[in-house]
Amino acid sequence: MQTIDLGPTLLEYFDVPRPADTQGRPLRGVLADDTPIREAGLFGIFGGHVNVTDGRHVYMRGRFTPAELAGAKLAEPFDFTKGVPTLRVPRRSMINPSAYGTLLYDLDTDPEQTTPIEDDEVELRMAGLLTELLRATDAPDDQYLRLGLPRTGPVTAEHLLIRAQWERARTALRPLPPVGDLQLMATISLIGLAALPVARVSVEQLHAIATELAALDAA
């Protein structure tokens, strides 16, 4: 289920016709006999990873203030905006998602998504599902460019990213040192600072700092 399914479910319940451009689907079948309503679901975070899950695997490809909206421009509408232009906002994120690279998880063996996997066959299938859903939801051309996926045509082995970004992902996902060891500032810890895109504090640097602090405490 996705949040876009809530509207169609209510419309069906009250016997109200759904608009032709509605992307969600009624949940009657799911609630009655667990009949799936889609092969995969699309989700993500603004300025960060664009993700897809088929229930078995999760594939991760990868608030406004007045200042953040200063560079905003009107863009072409989507089908579901019914001719109303959208607002294109320059990418800003409170985290540095590119540090993690592209990630793939197997929910059957790793439901908490702590250990990414390398599997070209699965990545190719999931990247294909992701691309199909981007096309079905009117994703703009620059989104395909950002993600390294084809706007038209099939997804092929040349579009796979996990192996090329594997070391980056392994480094970024290394467990962090205990928060208490790095709580040096009143308003933000070093771990909090590392999450900011402007900080560029790596996990390796955090471990080095924690080691030095531990040595000072022991002295």
Side-chain angles (χ1 to χ4, degrees):
M1 186 194 82
Q2 295 185 262
T3 53
I4 57 174
D5 302 322
L6 297 179
T9 300
L10 292 172
L11 290 174
E12 183 184 68
Y13 180 83
F14 289 105
D15 198 26
V16 177
R18 280 181 287 154
D21 54 10
T22 300
Q23 295 183 1
R25 303 176 187 178
L27 297 171
R28 181 189 298 272
V30 176
L31 299 174
D33 55 15
D34 206 28
T35 301
I37 58 175
R38 60 173 54 84
E39 184 179 3
L42 184 70
F43 64 104
I45 181 172
F46 177 77
H49 285 81
V50 177
N51 316 308
V52 65
T53 181
D54 61 357
R56 165 69 186 275
H57 293 98
V58 172
Y59 183 59
M60 303 174 62
R61 189 105 176 182
R63 65 187 216 202
F64 300 113
T65 66
E68 287 176 314
L69 291 175
K73 299 178 180 179
L74 289 180
E76 292 298 315
F78 297 107
D79 288 343
F80 58 82
T81 64
K82 305 183 190 308
V84 178
T86 56
L87 198 63
R88 185 188 300 274
V89 181
R91 177 185 177 275
R92 289 183 176 89
S93 177
M94 290 301 294
I95 60 173
N96 180 21
S98 63
Y100 294 87
T102 297
L103 302 168
L104 176 65
Y105 295 96
D106 187 335
L107 297 180
D108 277 5
T109 59
D110 182 25
E112 294 185 359
Q113 295 180 219
T114 60
T115 308
I117 62 173
E118 282 184 287
D119 189 315
D120 289 351
E121 182 178 350
V122 174
E123 183 185 3
L124 185 62
R125 180 173 61 83
M126 297 301 290
L129 289 173
L130 177 59
T131 303
E132 289 176 10
L133 288 170
L134 288 173
R135 294 171 181 172
T137 52
D138 296 332
D141 290 345
D142 55 3
Q143 189 71 283
Y144 297 92
L145 180 63
R146 182 174 80 89
L147 297 174
L149 292 169
R151 180 66 182 85
T152 59
V155 177
T156 65
E158 70 180 19
H159 298 110
L160 303 184
L161 291 178
I162 289 178
R163 290 191 183 278
Q165 300 176 351
W166 186 246
E167 287 305 315
R168 186 197 311 179
R170 288 183 58 189
T171 299
L173 293 173
R174 181 184 175 189
L176 295 168
V179 174
D181 294 347
L182 297 172
Q183 201 74 30
L184 302 179
M185 293 172 280
T187 57
I188 186 171
S189 70
L190 282 173
I191 288 181
L193 184 64
L196 300 179
V198 296
R200 306 302 185 204
V201 180
S202 70
V203 175
E204 295 300 324
Q205 289 172 319
L206 287 177
H207 278 279
I209 293 170
T211 299
E212 292 186 20
L213 290 175
L216 289 174
D217 288 340

